[in-house]
Amino acid sequence: MEPSRHLEILHTVASALSRSLDVEEVLRTALAALTHVTGHEISSLHLVAADGSTLQLRGDRGLSERLRGVNRALPIGEGLIGHVAASGQTLTLTAVTESPLLFAAARDAVAADGIRGFVCVPIRAQGRILGTLSLGRQVPEPFTPAEVQLLEATADQIGVALDNARLYSELRRQLEELKRTQAQLIHAEKLAAVGELAAGVAHEINNPLTTILGEVQLLAMSAPSEEVRDRLRVIAEESARAAGIVQNLLLFARVYPPQRTLCVVADQIKRVLGLKAYQFQLDNVRVVPDFAPAPPVWADDNQVQQVLLNLVQNAHQAMRAARGRGVLTVRVRPAEGAVRVEVLDDGPGIPPEHLPRIFDPFYTTKPPGEGSGLGLSVSYGIVSEHGGRLWAENRPEGGAAFHLELPIAGPAPSSAPPRELPLPSRPLHVLLVEDERRVADVLASLLKSLGHTADVAIGGRDGLARVGAGAYDVVFVDLKMPEMDGREFWAALEVRAAPLARRTIFMTGNPRSPEAQAIEAEGAPVLGKPFTLKELAAVVRTAAQR
Ligand code: ADP
């Protein structure tokens, strides 16, 4: 072949390859260009498979079915082509069937196809062997050194093109990941905003709930009949339920520092199921709770709820997407040294090839906006931190099963059981510092029903003004007030009447907030709003003893 013809071939291959950044297209283009321009040759292209030990036939021109079958997968280091892939050396043969390197199975196929001359060159990129390019011909003339050089030059072009395609797809993958991370950040920001909102709303809702619950309890004391008392009880229970929902919202919306306490897992599940009850009803999800008595675990209940919510949420989404209905079974069982929770759904299950990856961060099969891929990885982290285990499998009857095990609590850490204090012998004189008149009034009436007397101060300044006037046994102060908040009031009280500061009870709609926790850590009692008469009686009794 003329040297100018060689140049033309190389130019055709190179320009065809430079137009493509897709691996499959690179391979197709390379083979087409090569055989089209060289004419009668039989060509094949192999690439090293992901396992690193075999070569896979990725394209050919002119191979018979039989020869294609023999060539489909070749071990690296064996046979003609495998040898080239291992050594990186070009192999040229004039009578291919006579080569001792040829596989016995291939020999018959090669002979049947009448192939005589053979040349195989490695495809390289950045010093690595990516595969091989082979040509065979039926005519007796051997491949000339110029033709071999041409093939080598072509293989180099293919190597560069494959490497470009790899870089390009890597770049695309990174870009996709960047996009996803960005979406997750936006999601996280949104969550933080929702948390802020929930905290504000909780405060606003808890005050009216405190009034409702307080008034109902007062009414119940003077109810004329059992029937009226029953109705009032329904109002009280429903107010308590509303308060529970608000507390749940707060727990999920805000991230609190982990705090381990004795935690009854079934109670946490009930909370989570309560939070999802409405959505389950809308989406035809039937919940089957199946709780056997189990010992408590030593855990951060907020984090345990987060894990359970993730599992329940995933099951819900899977069932909704697959069938628009479903049955969610949640089991609690004592296990050896642990409490086992099983969250079982009857959705589509998890494809076996996804199973090993579902706990990876950012692994999601859900459309953007619906899944962040963080739920299970965060859950896994929490459970491991607790010394527990979390794993998943598919149920034989269909659907997914998530298993969670938390180690049961050892002997309780040294906190002594709360001492049951005797009721104070005399009625107490209480100062109530609140920014909402109705909350203060109902609280005053409740205290009166307990045999105490109460003065109401609206706001911290009014409260401080009254401290000088009356001799108080106990002070109630709302933590969150405009102008002077509960903590500022407390600090000022400490200066004016230190013994009374020690008998101050804080009230808050959000007892799990960092502010409330800090106050509790300093030894002051914190009463969550709304509260029952019983809780009120207990906290007054304790504070008066200080
Ligand atoms: P996300 O829910 O944001 O996708 P997760 O880490 O919670 O992130 O879950 C990762 C993936 O695990 C999901 O995208 C889904 O493919 C799979 N998965 C989790 N729970 C289930 C389930 N109950 N049924 C089927 N697939 C599930």
Side-chain angles (χ1 to χ4, degrees):
M1 213 189 288
E2 296 292 318
S4 63
R5 179 88 178 109
H6 284 180
L7 272 181
E8 191 189 323
I9 293 170
L10 203 57
H11 177 70
T12 311
V13 173
S15 63
L17 287 178
S18 66
R19 279 196 296 272
S20 174
L21 281 171
D22 174 76
V23 173
E24 294 305 322
E25 206 180 323
V26 164
L27 301 180
R28 243 188 347 265
T29 312
L31 281 171
L34 194 69
T35 40
H36 178 69
V37 290
T38 53
H40 53 268
E41 279 89 356
I42 296 161
S43 61
S44 65
L45 200 152
H46 287 85
L47 288 187
V48 177
D51 65 8
S53 61
T54 43
L55 288 163
Q56 267 174 349
L57 180 65
R58 297 293 294 267
D60 75 83
R61 289 290 183 279
L63 280 189
S64 64
E65 261 319 303
R66 194 167 167 198
L67 212 47
R68 194 174 289 143
V70 174
N71 266 292
R72 195 147 282 143
L74 301 170
I76 292 179
E78 293 172 47
L80 295 177
I81 295 176
H83 191 72
V84 172
S87 66
Q89 302 288 324
T90 297
L91 180 73
T92 315
L93 299 169
T94 42
V96 63
T97 46
E98 284 159 30
S99 167
L101 285 174
L102 190 64
F103 285 122
R107 197 178 308 274
D108 294 345
V110 169
D113 285 5
I115 297 174
R116 321 259 296 258
F118 175 80
V119 55
C120 177
V121 300
I123 299 173
R124 282 199 186 84
Q126 319 255 18
R128 257 180 351 114
I129 296 178
L130 302 181
T132 58
L133 183 59
S134 317
L135 285 192
R137 65 169 43 146
Q138 286 140 335
V139 292
E141 296 95 57
F143 284 95
T144 63
E147 281 175 318
V148 174
Q149 263 176 15
L150 170 67
L151 199 62
E152 284 174 339
T154 307
D156 286 347
Q157 293 287 343
I158 295 174
V160 170
L162 283 176
D163 205 42
N164 281 343
R166 184 186 61 77
L167 286 175
Y168 179 66
S169 80
E170 174 70 8
L171 205 66
R172 273 180 54 164
R173 198 187 56 75
Q174 283 178 357
L175 204 68
E176 286 295 315
E177 201 168 297
L178 200 67
K179 270 192 203 155
R180 251 206 337 255
T181 317
Q182 218 167 24
Q184 275 147 9
L185 276 179
I186 294 170
H187 187 66
E189 296 246 322
K190 268 192 209 156
L191 267 186
V194 168
E196 290 278 307
L197 197 70
V201 167
H203 182 72
E204 295 307 316
I205 291 182
N206 278 330
N207 274 342
L209 280 178
T210 307
T211 313
I212 294 171
L213 198 60
E215 294 289 359
V216 165
Q217 290 177 99
L218 288 168
L219 275 177
M221 288 176 204
S222 56
S225 69
E226 193 55 37
E227 193 195 336
V228 173
R229 243 192 304 279
D230 277 349
R231 288 186 188 284
L232 290 170
R233 195 168 46 241
V234 171
I235 299 178
E237 278 171 12
E238 292 299 287
S239 316
R241 191 157 77 98
I245 293 171
V246 170
Q247 285 308 319
N248 273 343
L249 253 182
L250 276 174
L251 284 177
F252 293 120
R254 292 282 289 262
V255 181
Y256 298 118
Q259 257 187 353
R260 299 212 181 165
T261 52
L262 279 185
C263 163
V264 177
V265 178
D267 290 349
Q268 309 307 325
I269 298 176
K270 283 180 205 158
R271 274 177 165 239
V272 168
L273 293 177
L275 193 77
K276 293 278 297 177
Y278 180 63
Q279 286 170 322
F280 283 155
Q281 198 185 333
L282 281 186
D283 290 333
N284 297 314
V285 172
R286 189 161 63 85
V287 179
V288 183
D290 177 6
F291 303 159
V297 295
W298 187 245
D300 182 301
D301 51 5
N302 192 21
Q303 290 191 329
V304 170
Q305 281 175 32
Q306 199 182 336
V307 172
L308 292 166
L309 184 71
N310 281 333
L311 299 182
V312 165
Q313 196 103 297
N314 279 341
H316 177 196
Q317 282 178 333
M319 293 188 291
R320 186 179 55 196
R323 302 200 291 146
R325 58 182 303 113
V327 179
L328 175 76
T329 310
V330 187
R331 275 193 206 133
V332 177
R333 294 279 182 275
E336 209 173 307
V339 174
R340 162 89 67 94
V341 181
E342 289 169 6
V343 179
L344 315 170
D345 66 58
D346 64 351
I350 306 157
E353 65 272 22
H354 293 181
L355 257 179
R357 299 195 52 198
I358 55 171
F359 293 101
D360 290 353
F362 302 125
Y363 182 78
T364 180
T365 57
K366 294 170 191 169
E370 210 172 297
S372 65
L374 287 175
L376 286 179
S377 58
V378 168
S379 301
Y380 192 89
I382 291 175
V383 174
S384 306
E385 226 170 79
H386 280 83
R389 298 195 301 150
L390 177 64
W391 73 99
E393 62 187 4
N394 283 310
R395 305 170 71 190
E397 61 270 51
F402 281 83
H403 303 267
L404 161 68
E405 261 183 22
L406 290 169
I408 55 171
S414 64
S415 73
R419 198 156 42 96
E420 200 46 42
L421 294 163
L423 268 171
S425 52
R426 62 185 173 92
L428 300 170
H429 194 38
V430 182
L431 175 64
L432 301 175
V433 185
E434 243 291 347
D435 61 322
E436 281 205 28
R437 164 68 66 181
R438 283 194 172 166
V439 176
D441 284 349
V442 79
L443 187 53
S445 302
L446 287 169
L447 286 167
K448 212 186 276 174
S449 78
L450 291 170
H452 308 302
T453 51
D455 285 348
V456 170
I458 300 301
R461 275 179 228 295
D462 189 14
L464 285 178
R466 282 173 188 269
V467 166
Y472 294 105
D473 301 300
V474 173
V475 177
F476 273 89
V477 62
D478 191 19
L479 183 55
K480 204 166 161 190
M481 292 185 293
E483 290 178 25
M484 178 184 273
D485 69 13
R487 186 176 260 290
E488 286 163 349
F489 170 85
W490 199 30
L493 190 63
E494 177 71 42
V495 177
R496 292 174 193 214
L500 196 52
R502 275 195 294 282
R503 297 196 301 272
T504 297
I505 299 164
F506 285 84
M507 295 178 292
T508 172
N510 189 1
R512 289 294 303 264
S513 71
E515 301 83 40
Q517 303 259 305
I519 283 175
E520 221 164 22
E522 286 172 51
V526 175
L527 183 61
K529 283 184 193 172
F531 38 78
T532 61
L533 194 58
K534 223 165 122 185
E535 287 165 336
L536 183 65
V539 75
V540 176
R541 198 190 308 153
T542 317
Q545 303 294 322
R546 286 166 176 260

